[in-house]
Amino acid sequence: MATLKLGEQLKSKGLLTEAQLNVALAQQTITGDLIGDTLTKLGFVSSKEMAQTLAEQAGISFIDLDSYMPSENALRLVSREIAESTGFLPLSLEKGIIAIGINSPSNILAIDVATRISGKPPRAYMVDSEGFYDILEKAYYFLENPIHKHIEKAINEIKTSETPSAATISSLTELLIMDGIRRNATDIHINPALKAVHVFYRIDGVLQHGHCFPKIAHSGVISRIKILSELDIAEQRLPQDGSFSFSFLGRKYDMRVSTIPTIYGENVAIRMLRGLGPLLRILNLGFDKHDVERLRFLFSKPYGLILITGPTGSGKTTTLYAVLREINLLEKNVLTVEDPVEYKMSMIRQTEVNEKAGYNFALAGRNFMRQDPDVMLLGEIRDEETAQIAIRASITGHLVLTTLHTNDAITAIPRLFDLNVDRYLLSSSLMAVVAQRLVRKICINCKTEYPLKNGELVAMGLPELEGKIKIAFRSKGCSICNNTGYSGRTAIGEILIVNDDINELIYSGASIKALKDVAIRNGMKTIKDDGIKKAIEGITTFEEVLRVAG
């Protein structure tokens, strides 16, 4: 009966269809798993969506662990063994009351144990299963192994020795990567200066200084990274690219490495790809309700080309997969080619680029046509051949989703012209371009509102808002947001719908200005305007919008 109730509740929330539930029940008879676990394994419902539904069913609050870090005093109160065996995560400790995260609303044992430990009934919150185990492992590991102290120790050993040992260099390199994982960084930059080497981490899209170590260790750290990436350690005059896998706490991280020579030695940038991430729905990306409905309408079309544009790290892949979750995967054959596959999803056929074997986007696109596809996802249009294949597929009865690196929606059109795409074919195949960026969200723990001074918005470069907006929002900075004032990110974007007016302009080769004027007249909201709207609503700040959108 509980299974039926859960299924019905998920259906009523629009998270599950009757057909999906039947497939899950069929698989459950084979595997014997719980229906909730089966639904998440099939990708019909994400772990987070399942937890939110169970929380509503049980009448308890839900906490998103993606934007929450357990406090050290709460972790120290409960041993890792007790937390793991009892199935709860200590979150915070305030006035003697401990807040705990549970991934099952029926976990009465967790309430009893937490009450015995603190002497008071705990505040229980529902958390998702995937986030629960990931945060549990990381929180206790870094509590027991304070990484900043280990890095300080390694740096001190280097400072006191004329030639650092290979073991110390190897340990420092590994610790710097582990600290990037701890900080939820997307990139690590190792930047040499005249007398020292600085390490920066890109967190929520912004570089933050992490560490500084002696120049004497620079060549050793670079060589260690090159060895891991199978690069030529003797070549220091030319740029090199490589990759390696880094396993930590049972999870594998793909590291994409790039080196360039500078006047002070080789500079290294490491892109950290975390593999499986949380699958979102369009509604959770950050677009407003009107834009969500427009996107759903577009992606329900049987054929045509839809582009997602933006710079590296702007959430394009996340948006594409949110779109795929809107498509009926039980009735449509979906094939993808990516570099690499970042989200593993059931009921779609996913492939990965392998340049060494000659398997690229263009080759995949050509062969997909023989696989009876309904929807094709090409990870990126990088060259003329891929662009031609995407256009050809979209005008022969397939829905083609892909990405392009452009600054905004309008400039995607001249970019495709640069790739020698025929104007007539483009005007008849392109349905929409979605351009997006990611802005940091104000930390809700230390968020405050303040009155705007006269001329403040003018000074920011927003004179059109002067006098219209009296109140703005900002954060003081706290331990939750690492004193940055921001926690997590959300999308801001613009959606160019290609209607008859835009079709005519594309075919006639109209200027970017003419295209933009018509698009805005037809209802397109620019990325900057969308960001300003979110700043007025208190989701982000005006400064953050201007940093990202200009």
Side-chain angles (χ1 to χ4, degrees), residues 294-314:
R294 294 171 82 196
L295 289 170
R296 282 180 172 153
F297 173 75
L298 285 169
F299 295 116
S300 67
K301 296 286 187 180
Y303 57 84
L305 175 65
I306 300 176
L307 296 171
I308 312 288
T309 75
T312 301
S314 59

Side-chain angles (χ1 to χ4, degrees), residues 378-399:
L378 305 178
E380 185 184 341
I381 291 180
R382 292 180 178 172
D383 52 43
E384 185 177 328
E385 189 180 5
T386 309
Q388 301 285 358
I389 289 165
I391 296 288
R392 201 171 301 130
S394 66
I395 60 175
T396 53
H398 307 95
L399 181 63

Side-chain angles (χ1 to χ4, degrees), residues 21-35:
L21 181 58
N22 290 335
V23 170
L25 290 169
Q27 179 164 312
Q28 187 192 27
T29 62
I30 304 298
T31 63
D33 291 337
L34 294 170
I35 188 64

Side-chain angles (χ1 to χ4, degrees), residues 33 42 51 116 146 182 209 355 432 454 469 536:
D33 291 337
L42 283 168
R116 280 205 307 273
R182 180 184 72 85
H209 188 266
E355 295 288 355
N454 288 335
I469 308 297
I536 292 169

Side-chain angles (χ1 to χ4, degrees), residues 99-354:
I100 63 171
I102 54 177
N103 60 9
S104 169
S106 59
N107 191 351
I108 306 301
L109 179 61
I111 307 294
D112 291 342
V113 171
T115 302
R116 280 205 307 273
I117 290 171
S118 66
K120 296 178 182 178
R123 289 196 309 276
Y125 296 92
M126 192 74 191
V127 297
D128 71 282
S129 299
E130 289 175 9
F132 175 86
Y133 291 109
D134 189 33
I135 295 289
L136 184 77
E137 285 283 333
K138 281 171 66 175
Y140 277 104
Y141 179 85
F142 289 119
L143 181 72
E144 295 158 11
N145 302 277
I147 203 157
H148 61 281
K149 290 185 179 178
H150 292 308
I151 291 174
E152 283 175 15
K153 183 182 175 185
I155 291 171
N156 286 331
E157 285 178 15
I158 292 166
K159 284 163 67 176
T160 55
S161 63
E162 291 185 9
T163 47
S165 68
T168 303
I169 292 293
S170 180
S171 173
L172 177 62
T173 306
E174 190 171 284
L175 288 166
L176 293 174
I177 294 170
M178 285 163 57
D179 199 28
I181 294 171
R182 180 184 72 85
R183 295 168 183 254
N184 290 323
T186 56
D187 302 82
I188 304 173
H189 293 258
I190 300 173
N191 303 342
L194 181 61
K195 295 183 178 179
V197 181
H198 295 275
V199 180
F200 289 86
Y201 297 98
R202 188 174 293 280
I203 302 163
D204 285 341
V206 178
L207 285 178
Q208 295 182 20
H209 188 266
H211 309 282
C212 182
F213 62 86
K215 190 68 178 284
I216 193 173
H218 176 242
S219 60
V221 169
I222 301 300
S223 294
R224 179 59 186 154
I225 292 169
K226 284 184 174 180
I227 290 167
L228 289 170
S229 311
E230 298 182 354
L231 299 177
D232 184 355
I233 61 171
E235 180 58 77
Q236 299 177 6
R237 300 164 301 170
L238 295 172
Q240 295 188 71
D241 293 310
S243 63
F244 65 94
S245 291
F246 186 83
S247 295
F248 181 65
L249 298 178
R251 193 169 181 179
K252 188 159 63 168
Y253 298 81
D254 290 324
M255 305 289 176
R256 299 294 174 94
V257 176
S258 172
T259 72
I260 59 166
T262 75
I263 57 172
Y264 295 122
E266 286 185 282
N267 192 89
V268 172
I270 305 174
R271 165 58 57 91
M272 301 171 65
L273 300 170
R274 298 170 178 274
L276 189 65
L279 283 168
L280 301 176
R281 293 186 186 268
I282 290 179
L283 196 62
N284 307 125
L285 295 174
F287 295 103
D288 62 33
K289 287 184 179 179
H290 175 64
D291 283 343
V292 167
E293 290 310 312
R294 294 171 82 196
L295 289 170
R296 282 180 172 153
F297 173 75
L298 285 169
F299 295 116
S300 67
K301 296 286 187 180
Y303 57 84
L305 175 65
I306 300 176
L307 296 171
I308 312 288
T309 75
T312 301
S314 59
K316 297 187 296 295
T317 304
T318 301
T319 297
L320 282 174
Y321 270 88
V323 164
L324 289 183
R325 296 191 72 196
E326 299 290 326
I327 292 169
N328 189 337
L329 300 179
L330 298 178
E331 293 182 358
K332 293 191 175 181
N333 184 24
V334 179
L335 294 110
T336 81
V337 56
E338 303 160 71
D339 182 23
V341 171
E342 292 184 42
Y343 298 91
K344 293 181 176 67
M345 195 169 170
S346 295
M347 301 295 167
I348 65 175
R349 273 51 65 192
Q350 295 173 279
T351 69
E352 199 163 79
V353 164
N354 187 336

Side-chain angles (χ1 to χ4, degrees), residues 464-483:
E464 68 276 14
L465 297 179
E466 187 65 34
K468 297 177 183 176
I469 308 297
K470 303 293 184 183
I471 299 292
F473 298 87
R474 62 187 170 200
S475 292
K476 296 177 289 184
C478 63
S479 58
I480 299 292
C481 62
N482 198 26
N483 292 313

